[in-house]
Amino acid sequence: EGQEADAALAVFRALAASRTADNPELVFPKGSYHFFPERAAEGSYYITNHDQGGTRRTAFPILNRNGLIIDGQGSEFIFHGPMIPFILDNSANITLRNFTIDWARPMFEQGIVTAASETSFDIQLAANADYEMRSDGLYFEFGGGRLPVWGFHDIDPINRTHAHQSGDRISWNSFKKLKLSEAGPGLIRVTGDIRHIPRVGNRITMRFGRRENPGIFIKGSDKVEIGNVTLHHAPGMGLVAQRSSDI
């Protein structure tokens, strides 16, 4: 990570140049494009049902526009660290189509439950997991720093959904009552006041970082069309639209 060419500045300049074009359309040759927060546009936004405060960065700042098509022609847009891929603010008649959104490093980690009893369970991390066990918890790398895990989710590998009746019983406030320790290389032992014991073989998804950055954020805009766009991940919700219409 970090060796790929950063497309953020080129896209910013292309969007600026398109303001003077008739019927502007930004078309990407099919490929993989990487975006980093360091050169991305900045702004201050309050996004419903997300953590508030701090500067947001975005690769595609679509601000005060009327009429724009962005066509990825099947491209992959790959993001690094904390940022919002698309912000549509005070705009109308915008079309986004034919691309995927993903992160080189998602703001989640996962492991497999290898042992479970009435009082504990063990999570085996992937062999290449970049983690650190500290006195105050389990930390993973994201966006050039380390962030503490604050929640577990128990995932049924057959149905690929949350395990039956697991809910938030090992996340949020319930997570604060758990005790984590390192039982071996990449092996995390969970003890303490456990409200829910996962089954051996289930996946545990670990949440860390703040929920600040949805995949697509639409604010005060209307007549927005999104077609053939796939979001594999975002460090927030997939799409959030507020005070907008005709999406």
Side-chain angles (χ1 to χ4, degrees), residues 3-17:
Q3 297 181 358
E4 300 88 352
D6 186 356
L9 188 55
V11 167
F12 182 84
R13 288 170 173 166
L15 286 171

Side-chain angles (χ1 to χ4, degrees), residues 1 37-38 80-82 105 130 140-147:
E1 182 172 337
E38 286 78 11
H80 299 252
R105 161 56 166 151
D130 184 5
F140 289 99
E141 187 279 332
F142 182 75
R146 290 195 179 274
L147 301 174

Side-chain angles (χ1 to χ4, degrees), residues 106-125:
M107 203 175 72
F108 294 95
E109 189 60 67
Q110 68 177 7
I112 298 175
V113 178
T114 56
S117 70
E118 293 183 357
T119 58
S120 71
F121 62 92
D122 291 350
I123 306 168
Q124 181 63 59
L125 304 177

Side-chain angles (χ1 to χ4, degrees), residues 14-15 23 43 54 65 70 74 96 106 112 138 142-143 171 181 185 212 230 238:
L15 286 171
N23 304 314
R65 300 293 299 259
I70 296 179
L96 310 178
I112 298 175
L138 177 62
F142 182 75
S171 188
S181 60
E212 297 177 317
T230 299

Side-chain angles (χ1 to χ4, degrees), residues 49-116:
N49 211 358
H50 282 64
D51 291 314
Q52 306 300 342
T55 299
R56 301 294 205 280
R57 293 176 173 85
T58 180
F60 289 82
I62 302 171
L63 316 177
N64 307 309
R65 300 293 299 259
N66 188 358
L68 174 66
I69 296 173
I70 296 179
D71 189 340
Q73 296 194 116
S75 292
E76 293 180 312
F77 295 156
I78 302 172
F79 298 86
H80 299 252
M83 59 191 306
I84 301 174
F86 287 82
I87 292 181
L88 282 62
D89 185 3
N90 190 38
S91 295
N93 299 299
I94 308 297
T95 297
L96 310 178
R97 65 191 184 199
N98 303 327
F99 57 83
T100 64
I101 290 174
D102 205 351
W103 256 254
R105 161 56 166 151
M107 203 175 72
F108 294 95
E109 189 60 67
Q110 68 177 7
I112 298 175
V113 178
T114 56

Side-chain angles (χ1 to χ4, degrees), residues 164-185:
H164 182 56
Q165 293 188 334
S166 61
D168 281 327
R169 293 183 177 180
I170 46 177
S171 188
W172 300 96
N173 287 333
S174 295
F175 178 83
K176 297 176 182 177
K177 300 178 181 179
L178 305 180
K179 297 179 180 179
L180 310 184
S181 60
E182 194 173 21

